[in-house]
């Protein structure tokens, strides 16, 4: 009981102080100068709770293998929305209804208020095929979801961006250059196919062999060619640890020569570089 009272006092005292100080100084002053209180005692607990609930939900859906069935129904609903937009005369441009708080950008998407919002609720990993070395995912699947799924299986993405909240759809349809590979290229270069709902409501699959013009123009198109509803991405084996060889280069020529030497090796390993300024 005593421990609970101490914990309760530790939580309530800063909040009560915040409320009293807010009455004196005003909300704007508190948000600017004491935002750490809001971050530590409100935003961080809510973030942990959200991540736990979302992780459990994703795990259950993947184990029950219900994602593919749900996917077909959700895509059909998206097609229905687009066809309805077309029947209404295409009076407004289309965009997804994804709210700004679900993105990693601080920008508020005011443009969505003047556009026809299409509800795209596609957040699941559909399939992991280790024989073909491919995984099929929906566009709102994040890098954190993919990592949590693939790492225990001993697999990973060839190009894995460093931010967990980045989504497959954002990296493909947006400018996904947060992480790149000298061996595999940018994120979209590891994708084998896309499935898109076009402006007429039709569902089209594209790859380098099927509708190649759409396949090569879809990346970085920001949804202007269609709404991405699924993507097939390469996966590669991954060990638990990575061996790193550190080779310092003291001149520009030395750095170029070292880089060329390592890149031209046929060994299955990557090359990265870091710019350090001398003391």
């Amino acid at each position: 009981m005593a421990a609970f009272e101490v914990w309760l006092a530790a939580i309530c005292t800063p909040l009560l102080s915040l409320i009293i100080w807010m009455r004196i100084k005003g909300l704007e002053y508190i948000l600017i100068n004491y935002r750490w209180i809001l971050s530590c005692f409100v935003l961080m607990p809510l973030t942990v709770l959200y991540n736990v609930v979302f992780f459990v939900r994703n795990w259950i859906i993947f184990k029950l293998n219900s994602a593919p069935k749900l996917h077909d129904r959700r895509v059909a609903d998206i097609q229905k929305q687009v066809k309805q937009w077309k029947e209404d005369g295409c009076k407004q441009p289309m965009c997804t209804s994804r709210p700004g708080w679900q993105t990693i950008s601080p920008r508020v998407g005011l443009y969505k208020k003047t556009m026809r919002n299409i509800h795209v609720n596609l957040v699941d990993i559909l399939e992991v095929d280790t024989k073909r070395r491919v995984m099929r995912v929906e566009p709102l699947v994040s890098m954190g979801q993919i990592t949590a799924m693939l790492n225990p299986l001993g697999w990973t993405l060839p190009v894995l961006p460093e931010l967990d909240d980045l989504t497959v759809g954002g990296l493909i349809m947006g400018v996904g250059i947060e992480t790149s590979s000298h061996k595999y290229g940018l994120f979209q270069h590891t994708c084998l196919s896309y499935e898109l709902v076009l402006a007429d409501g039709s569902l089209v699959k594209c790859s380098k062999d099927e509708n190649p013009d759409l396949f090569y123009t879809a990346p970085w198109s920001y949804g202007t060619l269609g709404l991405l509803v699924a993507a097939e991405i390469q996966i590669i084996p991954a060990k638990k640890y990575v061996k790193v060889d550190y080779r310092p280069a003291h001149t520009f020529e030395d750095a170029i020569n070292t880089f060329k030497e390592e890149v031209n090796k046929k060994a299955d390993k990557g090359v990265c570089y870091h710019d350090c300024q001398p003391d």
Side-chain angles (χ1 to χ4, degrees):
M1 188 66 180
F4 175 76
E5 292 176 352
V6 171
W7 177 83
L8 188 62
I11 294 294
C12 293
T13 301
L15 293 178
L16 289 174
S17 302
L18 178 63
I19 294 173
I20 295 172
W21 202 236
M22 189 184 303
R23 300 272 299 183
I24 299 174
K25 288 290 189 177
L27 179 61
E28 182 179 354
Y29 179 86
I30 296 298
L31 291 177
I32 294 175
N33 294 278
Y34 296 95
R35 56 187 178 272
W36 65 270
I37 298 179
L38 182 65
S39 299
C40 293
F41 296 101
V42 179
L43 296 181
M44 290 180 66
L46 287 177
T47 300
V48 172
L49 179 61
Y50 176 82
N51 288 337
V52 169
V53 171
F54 201 63
F55 176 82
V56 173
R57 179 254 179 212
N58 292 337
W59 184 84
I60 293 174
I61 286 180
F62 189 81
K63 289 299 182 181
L64 294 177
N65 198 29
S66 61
K69 297 178 182 178
L70 294 173
H71 174 76
D72 293 338
R73 291 205 298 264
R74 290 169 181 166
V75 172
D77 180 64
I78 294 172
Q79 291 179 273
K80 181 180 178 181
Q81 294 179 67
V82 173
K83 290 177 180 178
Q84 186 62 51
W85 167 81
K86 189 174 179 62
E87 291 177 4
D88 292 341
C90 310
K91 298 177 181 179
Q92 298 170 293
M94 285 188 297
C95 69
T96 65
S97 61
R98 190 185 187 200
W101 65 267
Q102 289 186 344
T103 70
I104 63 171
S105 172
R107 181 171 65 97
V108 178
L110 296 178
Y111 66 92
K112 291 180 180 285
K113 295 182 179 181
T114 61
M115 293 186 175
R116 181 69 166 262
N117 283 208
I118 305 298
H119 185 55
V120 181
N121 183 28
L122 301 172
V123 297
D124 292 319
I125 295 173
L126 301 174
E127 181 185 8
V128 177
D129 189 340
T130 55
K131 292 183 178 180
R132 294 176 53 223
R133 297 194 172 196
V134 168
M135 72 182 308
R136 183 168 173 254
V137 300
E138 294 179 330
L140 295 183
V141 170
S142 68
M143 296 300 103
Q145 283 178 258
I146 291 177
T147 300
M149 178 61 64
L150 291 183
N151 280 4
L153 301 176
W155 295 82
T156 189
L157 297 180
V159 178
L160 181 63
E162 68 277 10
L163 298 179
D164 280 350
D165 290 332
L166 293 173
T167 62
V168 170
L171 291 165
I172 295 173
M173 306 301 277
V175 184
I177 59 174
E178 285 79 4
T179 298
S180 61
S181 166
H182 294 284
K183 181 176 181 179
Y184 295 101
L186 297 171
F187 184 84
Q188 74 264 21
H189 296 142
T190 66
C191 297
L192 301 178
S193 69
Y194 309 124
E195 296 170 38
L196 299 102
V197 173
L198 304 184
D200 62 354
S202 61
L203 177 63
V204 176
K205 183 176 181 180
C206 58
S207 65
K208 65 178 182 179
D209 300 317
E210 181 181 3
N211 299 312
D213 52 346
L214 184 59
F215 176 73
Y216 289 111
T217 54
W220 299 16
S221 64
Y222 290 94
T224 56
L225 302 177
L227 298 172
L228 183 68
V229 295
E232 281 191 328
I233 312 173
Q234 298 178 48
I235 58 175
I236 59 175
K239 295 182 179 180
K240 188 175 181 179
Y241 299 102
V242 176
K243 181 177 181 294
V244 177
D245 294 323
Y246 178 64
R247 295 184 57 180
H250 302 287
T251 65
F252 180 75
E253 291 75 15
D254 188 17
I256 294 298
N257 292 333
T258 302
F259 190 80
K260 286 182 177 179
E261 179 184 343
E262 294 298 328
V263 168
N264 289 328
K265 288 181 178 179
K266 296 189 180 299
D268 188 16
K269 65 178 181 178
V271 180
C272 63
Y273 54 87
H274 179 64
D275 183 17
C276 296
Q277 298 296 329
D279 295 334

